[in-house]
Amino acid sequence: MYLAIVTALMLVLPVGSIGLEAVMGVHGLSALLVAKWFVIWSVGVRLFLAGLRQIVQPRYTAEVILSLKHEESHVLVRELGFANLAVGLSGLASWLFPAWVPAVALTGGVFYALAGINHLRQAHRSKLENIAMLSDLFVGLVLLVALVGTLS
């Protein structure tokens, strides 16, 4: 289930939305269009949902994703959930406030790139942490490249 959700929110839904809007839209394919839909789906929806789960059920992220078995880690995971929820809300709000897209792309891109690098540094990763690592690195790269493309 985790793989399906991550794949949908980090690849299928953003790429599908980009394709649909590029075909139906006035402006065609652009870096801003890529940034917009990756911000909405991968930052907005993904981090909002992750944040909710980390706040309500920190054990899942701690034990299943990160292989942390100590109850004390749940406090830290819940704090991560607050940050994810806040960033996710800004990604969702960018749909209403398109001028926010570059700022949220920067925030999300840096977050995902650093999170992916952090996962990469772990010598003993679980299968789910590998999924998190690959998706984090992919989306971080897409967001930061799209952001640079919007500056041209």
Side-chain angles (χ1 to χ4, degrees), residues 11-92:
L11 182 64
V12 175
L13 292 169
V15 170
S17 298
I18 291 163
L20 190 61
E21 187 170 335
V23 169
M24 296 178 56
V26 178
H27 303 292
L29 184 61
S30 69
L32 188 57
L33 182 63
V34 171
K36 170 188 172 180
W37 288 110
F38 271 90
V39 161
I40 290 169
W41 288 113
S42 299
V43 177
V45 176
R46 171 78 174 97
L47 292 182
F48 182 83
L49 293 175
L52 280 178
R53 182 152 200 189
Q54 291 160 341
I55 292 165
V56 173
Q57 190 184 24
R59 180 180 310 275
Y60 179 81
T61 297
E63 294 180 11
V64 176
I65 305 290
L66 300 175
S67 301
L68 301 172
K69 303 299 181 198
H70 300 287
E71 193 84 17
E72 294 87 13
S73 67
H74 298 187
V75 173
L76 186 58
V77 169
R78 192 170 280 119
E79 294 264 343
L80 173 62
F82 299 149
N84 281 338
L85 185 76
V87 174
L89 280 172
S90 67
L92 291 171

